[in-house]
Amino acid sequence: MGPARVRVVIADDQRLFAEALEAILSTDGRICVVGRAENGQGALEMAREHQPDIVLMDIAMPVMDGIEATRAIREEVPGTRVIVLTGSAANIDVSRARSAGAAAYVTKDQIAGDLVRAILEAAAA
Protein backbone atom coordinates (compact mmCIF):
# COMPACT_ATOMS: atom_id res chain seq x y z
CA MET A 1 0.00 0.00 0.00
CA GLY A 2 1.32 3.45 -0.94
CA PRO A 3 1.44 6.63 1.12
CA ALA A 4 -1.83 8.13 2.35
CA ARG A 5 -3.49 10.52 -0.04
CA VAL A 6 -4.06 14.15 0.94
CA ARG A 7 -7.76 14.58 1.74
CA VAL A 8 -9.22 17.82 0.30
CA VAL A 9 -12.51 19.74 0.62
CA ILE A 10 -13.30 22.31 -2.08
CA ALA A 11 -15.28 25.41 -1.00
CA ASP A 12 -16.41 27.59 -3.89
CA ASP A 13 -19.82 29.00 -4.75
CA GLN A 14 -19.17 28.66 -8.49
CA ARG A 15 -20.36 25.09 -9.03
CA LEU A 16 -18.79 24.62 -12.47
CA PHE A 17 -15.42 25.86 -11.23
CA ALA A 18 -15.58 23.54 -8.20
CA GLU A 19 -16.49 20.58 -10.41
CA ALA A 20 -13.66 21.36 -12.82
CA LEU A 21 -11.22 21.72 -9.94
CA GLU A 22 -12.32 18.38 -8.50
CA ALA A 23 -11.81 16.76 -11.92
CA ILE A 24 -8.31 18.23 -12.19
CA LEU A 25 -7.32 17.12 -8.68
CA SER A 26 -8.75 13.63 -9.14
CA THR A 27 -6.15 12.98 -11.84
CA ASP A 28 -3.37 13.21 -9.22
CA GLY A 29 -3.11 9.97 -7.25
CA ARG A 30 -1.71 11.82 -4.22
CA ILE A 31 -4.95 13.78 -3.68
CA CYS A 32 -8.49 12.67 -2.80
CA VAL A 33 -11.39 15.17 -2.84
CA VAL A 34 -13.69 14.19 0.04
CA GLY A 35 -16.31 16.93 -0.32
CA ARG A 36 -17.47 20.19 -1.85
CA ALA A 37 -19.18 23.15 -0.22
CA GLU A 38 -20.93 26.14 -1.80
CA ASN A 39 -20.30 28.59 1.06
CA GLY A 40 -18.14 29.12 4.11
CA GLN A 41 -20.66 27.59 6.52
CA GLY A 42 -20.75 24.45 4.38
CA ALA A 43 -16.95 24.37 4.33
CA LEU A 44 -16.86 24.51 8.13
CA GLU A 45 -19.42 21.70 8.37
CA MET A 46 -17.45 19.60 5.85
CA ALA A 47 -14.24 20.21 7.79
CA ARG A 48 -15.90 19.09 11.02
CA GLU A 49 -17.35 15.99 9.39
CA HIS A 50 -14.46 14.83 7.19
CA GLN A 51 -11.43 16.20 9.07
CA PRO A 52 -9.63 16.84 5.74
CA ASP A 53 -5.96 17.66 5.48
CA ILE A 54 -6.73 20.68 3.27
CA VAL A 55 -9.67 22.97 2.52
CA LEU A 56 -9.42 24.93 -0.72
CA MET A 57 -11.33 28.11 0.16
CA ASP A 58 -12.72 30.83 -2.06
CA ILE A 59 -13.04 34.24 -0.37
CA ALA A 60 -16.25 35.70 -1.79
CA MET A 61 -19.05 33.28 -0.92
CA PRO A 62 -22.57 33.64 0.48
CA VAL A 63 -23.70 32.77 4.03
CA MET A 64 -20.15 32.91 5.51
CA ASP A 65 -17.24 34.31 3.52
CA GLY A 66 -13.98 32.45 3.10
CA ILE A 67 -12.04 34.58 5.57
CA GLU A 68 -14.51 33.96 8.39
CA ALA A 69 -14.71 30.26 7.47
CA THR A 70 -10.90 29.99 7.44
CA ARG A 71 -10.72 31.46 10.92
CA ALA A 72 -13.46 29.11 12.19
CA ILE A 73 -11.86 26.01 10.65
CA ARG A 74 -8.46 26.84 12.11
CA GLU A 75 -10.06 27.22 15.56
CA GLU A 76 -12.39 24.22 15.44
CA VAL A 77 -10.44 21.76 13.27
CA PRO A 78 -6.81 22.69 13.94
CA GLY A 79 -5.43 19.70 12.04
CA THR A 80 -6.91 21.04 8.80
CA ARG A 81 -4.93 23.53 6.74
CA VAL A 82 -6.72 26.11 4.58
CA ILE A 83 -5.46 27.23 1.20
CA VAL A 84 -7.26 30.32 -0.05
CA LEU A 85 -8.01 29.86 -3.74
CA THR A 86 -9.51 32.99 -5.22
CA GLY A 87 -9.63 35.27 -8.21
CA SER A 88 -8.29 38.20 -6.20
CA ALA A 89 -4.59 38.99 -5.99
CA ALA A 90 -5.23 42.15 -3.93
CA ASN A 91 -2.75 42.64 -1.09
CA ILE A 92 -5.58 43.30 1.39
CA ASP A 93 -7.13 39.90 0.60
CA VAL A 94 -3.78 38.13 0.98
CA SER A 95 -3.27 39.90 4.31
CA ARG A 96 -6.77 39.05 5.56
CA ALA A 97 -6.36 35.41 4.56
CA ARG A 98 -3.01 35.10 6.30
CA SER A 99 -4.32 36.75 9.47
CA ALA A 100 -7.24 34.28 9.48
CA GLY A 101 -4.76 31.40 9.45
CA ALA A 102 -4.52 30.41 5.78
CA ALA A 103 -1.53 28.21 5.04
CA ALA A 104 -1.24 29.48 1.47
CA TYR A 105 -2.86 31.84 -1.01
CA VAL A 106 -3.23 30.80 -4.64
CA THR A 107 -5.00 32.83 -7.31
CA LYS A 108 -7.24 30.96 -9.72
CA ASP A 109 -4.98 31.86 -12.64
CA GLN A 110 -2.13 29.94 -10.95
CA ILE A 111 -4.01 26.65 -10.67
CA ALA A 112 -2.16 24.77 -13.38
CA GLY A 113 1.32 25.42 -12.05
CA ASP A 114 0.99 25.97 -8.33
CA LEU A 115 -2.09 24.36 -6.82
CA VAL A 116 -0.99 20.73 -6.47
CA ARG A 117 2.39 21.85 -5.11
CA ALA A 118 0.66 24.18 -2.61
CA ILE A 119 -1.66 21.37 -1.47
CA LEU A 120 1.17 18.89 -0.95
CA GLU A 121 3.38 21.44 0.82
CA ALA A 122 0.59 22.59 3.15
CA ALA A 123 -0.36 19.00 3.98
CA ALA A 124 3.26 18.18 4.82
CA ALA A 125 3.71 21.23 7.08
Side-chain angles (χ1 to χ4, degrees):
M1 188 169 158
R5 296 195 304 170
V6 177
R7 301 172 74 246
V8 175
V9 165
I10 298 169
D12 197 300
D13 62 329
Q14 296 177 9
R15 184 178 56 81
L16 291 177
F17 176 79
E19 289 173 357
L21 184 57
E22 182 174 0
I24 291 166
L25 295 178
S26 70
T27 66
D28 191 305
R30 300 168 292 181
I31 297 170
C32 175
V33 176
V34 297
R36 281 198 332 251
E38 295 182 356
N39 59 60
Q41 182 63 42
L44 177 57
E45 291 167 8
M46 287 270 178
R48 288 174 182 148
E49 178 182 347
H50 296 290
Q51 303 283 313
D53 301 299
I54 302 291
V55 173
L56 296 176
M57 183 78 70
D58 189 20
I59 290 179
M61 292 187 291
V63 183
M64 176 189 289
D65 74 15
I67 300 298
E68 187 179 342
T70 296
R71 188 172 285 111
I73 289 168
R74 295 299 297 142
E75 289 174 5
E76 294 186 36
V77 193
T80 295
R81 299 266 204 218
V82 177
I83 296 174
V84 170
L85 177 61
T86 186
S88 172
N91 288 338
I92 187 68
D93 288 333
V94 175
S95 178
R96 290 175 58 226
R98 294 278 188 203
S99 69
Y105 191 98
V106 178
T107 57
K108 290 181 178 179
D109 62 346
Q110 296 175 301
I111 289 175
D114 295 338
L115 185 58
V116 169
R117 177 188 51 77
I119 290 170
L120 297 174
E121 286 178 2

